[in-house]
């Protein structure tokens, strides 16, 4: 088994990709990792759309380039949308008391994180994208109106060799032990 800490610490956002097709089996393996993620009441509220068709990729990448950001998506051989199901199914009591969306956000985050870690595990590079024109993306990909587009993921073989240095808050700032 891969050293998990090493995988988690080496994963980084990749914004330059080789002009190389990503094998469908590899994409499926990433999606499998996402599918195995935990979720509130096992509701599994995530829905993915995978785009590899060059024409659709071109249109889709443009929709992530609001205000001049995310130009790199133009060269990503795979773009994936991560949507939240309209009404995630929780246990009725939990739904009544807390509302399903409270959990769904976290669920999608966990699932997406697992997808990106499996990508890193397979030597692929990816970058989560949070900037996009939601309505136009949903229209282009025929995503049901009730679903909420929460994230996108660019995926491909990384072009860069050097790993960027991790900039993270110090441990003392983010965690503490209570005796
Ligand atoms: C919810 C979310 C949205 C993000 N949106 C973008 C984005 O639109 N464009 C981009 O280049 N990076 C985006 N990122 C990547 C972050 O900038 C990156 O994860 C962060 O700087 C830490 O760097 P690392 O992933 O290399 O460790 C996003 C990450 C997350 C988790």
């Amino acid at each position: 088994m891969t050293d998990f800490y090493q995988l988690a610490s080496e994963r980084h956002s990749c914004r330059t990709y080789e002009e190389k097709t990503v094998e469908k089996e590899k994409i499926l393996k990433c999606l499998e990792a996402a599918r195995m993620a935990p979720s509130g009441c096992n509701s599994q509220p995530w829905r993915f759309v995978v785009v590899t068709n060059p024409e659709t990729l071109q249109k889709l990448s443009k929709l992530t380039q609001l205000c001049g950001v995310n130009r790199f998506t133009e060269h990503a051989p795979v773009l994936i949308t991560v949507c939240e199901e309209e009404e995630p199914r929780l246990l009725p009591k939990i739904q009544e008391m807390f509302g399903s969306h409270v959990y769904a956000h976290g669920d999608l985050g966990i699932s997406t994180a697992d997808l990106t870690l499996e990508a890193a595990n397979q030597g692929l590079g990816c970058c989560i994208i949070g900037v996009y024109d939601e309505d136009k993306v949903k229209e282009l990909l025929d995503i049901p109106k009730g679903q909420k587009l929460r994230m996108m993921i660019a995926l491909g073989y990384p072009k860069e060799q050097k790993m960027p240095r991790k900039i993270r808050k110090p441990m003392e700032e983010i965690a503490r032990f209570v005796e």
Side-chain angles (χ1 to χ4, degrees):
M1 195 187 191
T2 319
D3 178 330
F4 182 76
Y5 174 74
Q6 192 182 344
L7 185 64
S9 60
E10 284 180 5
R11 181 223 55 82
H12 63 278
S13 294
C14 169
R15 298 180 179 88
T16 51
Y17 304 98
E18 296 280 0
E19 234 178 86
K20 183 177 166 187
T21 306
V22 179
E23 298 83 344
K24 191 168 179 190
E25 304 78 61
K26 290 199 171 188
I27 304 174
L28 276 171
K29 191 97 188 285
C30 293
L31 291 167
E32 269 298 333
R35 194 168 75 94
M36 290 300 138
S39 57
C41 301
N42 201 19
S43 57
Q44 305 163 63
W46 42 73
R47 297 290 179 270
F48 302 96
V49 177
V50 182
V51 179
T52 56
N53 169 285
E55 231 174 81
T56 314
L57 276 176
Q58 210 208 8
K59 289 181 191 158
L60 190 54
S61 70
K62 289 264 176 296
L63 300 178
T64 68
Q65 294 170 4
L66 310 185
C67 309
V69 300
N70 292 332
R71 296 244 177 261
F72 72 94
T73 58
E74 243 162 75
H75 305 290
V78 184
L79 287 171
I80 302 173
T81 57
V82 186
C83 282
E84 183 184 312
E85 194 192 23
E86 193 168 358
E87 281 299 329
R89 272 160 297 225
L90 296 179
L91 295 174
K93 259 231 135 52
I94 301 277
Q95 173 120 25
E96 192 187 310
M97 283 176 75
F98 302 109
S100 48
H101 290 268
V102 176
Y103 299 101
H105 280 196
D107 298 340
L108 263 69
I110 297 166
S111 180
T112 301
D114 286 358
L115 190 157
T116 64
L117 286 166
E118 179 51 38
N121 189 37
Q122 295 193 61
L124 295 168
C126 66
C127 185
I128 296 172
I129 299 160
V131 174
Y132 41 73
D133 185 323
E134 176 168 4
D135 290 342
K136 290 191 178 150
V137 170
K138 285 170 68 175
E139 191 185 327
L140 178 68
L141 302 180
D142 209 12
I143 292 170
K145 279 202 174 8
Q147 286 185 18
K148 191 97 190 99
L149 179 59
R150 294 291 184 202
M151 275 166 286
M152 289 177 61
I153 305 165
L155 181 74
Y157 281 97
K159 208 174 203 172
E160 75 231 355
Q161 296 302 324
K162 220 173 119 238
M163 248 220 349
R165 200 168 64 84
K166 289 263 184 210
I167 300 165
R168 293 296 189 257
K169 292 176 182 170
M171 187 64 81
E172 310 79 72
E173 191 178 333
I174 63 149
R176 67 189 173 94
F177 287 80
V178 175
E179 300 292 326

